Amino acid sequence: MVVFGLVSGVFGLLISLLIIAFFVLGERKVLGYSQSRKGPNKVGVIGLLQSFADLLKLVIKFKCFYFQSRSYVGLFGVVLLMALVIVYSFIYGSYYSASYSGLSVLWFLAAASTSSYSLLCTGWGGYNNYSFLSSVRCAFGSVSFEACFMCVVIFCALCSCSYNLIDFYYNCWLSLLLFPLIYVLFLICILCETNRTPFDYGEAESELVSGFNVEYSGIYFTCLFACEYIIIYVFSWLGVVLMFGG
């Protein structure tokens, strides 16, 4: 059972990465057409391989720099964020296998509570005042809405009389029909937790350049970028499971 859980978690991570590659491509396409541009359309058929080409370019272009004391803190923040995403992927993968946990909701909330620490470490370890300011704003925003997010998730779990995500499958549209306001609060909390508009404190480009990852490049930037979009995908999946029954 443990081995099967590990395999399902690895498959969950790989599927998430594959989905994110095309999700980023779709987002760039939409942004391009909204500005009367075609967007990425050169690599592969209609640009379908653009995300993989970008990944290869970021991995190959490795920047050698001198590690200072705070640089290790930033590296720890990147590793912590990757570990958080791996835990999310294992919960996501176990949902579609027989290795699910009876307390998967609580495991998810426990993992989500560590996101602020990774943002603070990443921003502070970049030796940049703007990235540090961005990470502080992201962390404070996450902490502020995290309490509301946890209350919404626990409320849905109590209404379903279970902390197991599998049991939400049998509720179907029950949560959304009975508590539409809860769904609105959940969407607001997700937007803040994933740093998306209008709660994009970390990437207010007019004042903070590019957010807490401005000093990172190569494989480190790739990890931060991929983790951000995987978190968006996993939280969207959680919303579907809680409100629509999976």
Side-chain angles (χ1 to χ4, degrees):
M1 185 65 72
V2 176
V3 175
F4 189 73
L6 292 175
V7 172
S8 62
V10 171
F11 271 104
L13 180 60
L14 295 177
I15 292 173
S16 301
L17 290 172
L18 186 62
I19 291 175
I20 291 310
F22 292 101
F23 178 77
V24 173
L25 177 64
E27 186 179 35
R28 294 174 65 182
K29 283 281 191 180
V30 171
L31 291 175
Y33 282 111
S34 65
Q35 300 172 7
S36 299
R37 297 184 291 108
K38 291 185 178 181
N41 62 346
K42 298 298 183 183
V43 183
V45 181
I46 63 174
L48 290 178
L49 300 179
Q50 183 65 50
S51 297
F52 301 99
D54 293 339
L55 173 63
L56 182 63
K57 179 181 67 174
L58 287 171
V59 171
I60 291 177
K61 290 186 176 181
F62 183 77
K63 177 183 178 182
C64 297
F65 57 92
Y66 177 72
F67 271 87
Q68 302 182 44
S69 57
R70 276 164 53 181
S71 300
Y72 292 99
V73 178
L75 182 59
F76 172 75
V78 176
V79 174
L80 182 60
L81 189 60
M82 292 174 58
L84 173 64
V85 167
I86 291 174
V87 173
Y88 284 158
S89 299
F90 270 71
I91 296 174
Y92 168 72
S94 65
Y95 178 80
Y96 297 100
S97 66
S99 60
Y100 54 85
S101 171
L103 300 175
S104 52
V105 173
L106 297 182
W107 281 112
F108 191 95
L109 294 179
S113 62
T114 62
S115 61
S116 302
Y117 300 104
S118 61
L119 295 178
L120 284 174
C121 292
T122 305
W124 190 61
Y127 281 95
N128 186 293
N129 293 332
Y130 292 103
S131 63
F132 178 63
L133 178 61
S134 172
S135 64
V136 170
R137 292 174 62 173
C138 287
F140 283 164
S142 297
V143 170
S144 300
F145 284 86
E146 202 169 272
C148 181
F149 169 75
M150 290 186 175
C151 289
V152 170
V153 174
I154 292 177
F155 178 77
C156 294
L158 292 177
C159 292
S160 300
C161 301
S162 175
Y163 286 111
N164 191 348
L165 287 173
I166 296 294
D167 294 332
F168 287 91
Y169 177 79
Y170 303 102
N171 294 332
C172 295
W173 298 74
L174 180 62
S175 299
L176 181 61
L177 293 177
L178 294 180
F179 315 110
L181 182 59
I182 294 295
Y183 181 62
V184 175
L185 289 176
F186 185 81
L187 288 180
I188 295 174
C189 293
I190 284 182
L191 289 176
C192 183
E193 191 73 22
T194 55
N195 299 318
R196 307 302 287 181
T197 308
F199 302 103
D200 54 339
Y201 306 118
E203 295 188 8
E205 297 179 352
S206 61
E207 50 186 289
L208 295 178
V209 189
S210 181
F212 61 90
N213 56 7
V214 67
E215 292 296 328
Y216 294 87
S217 62
I219 190 65
Y220 302 112
F221 176 80
T222 305
C223 293
L224 292 173
F225 186 79
C227 288
E228 178 184 358
Y229 277 89
I230 290 178
I231 290 175
I232 294 173
Y233 171 70
V234 171
F235 271 81
S236 302
W237 164 78
L238 179 67
V240 172
V241 171
L242 292 181
M243 300 298 169
F244 300 95

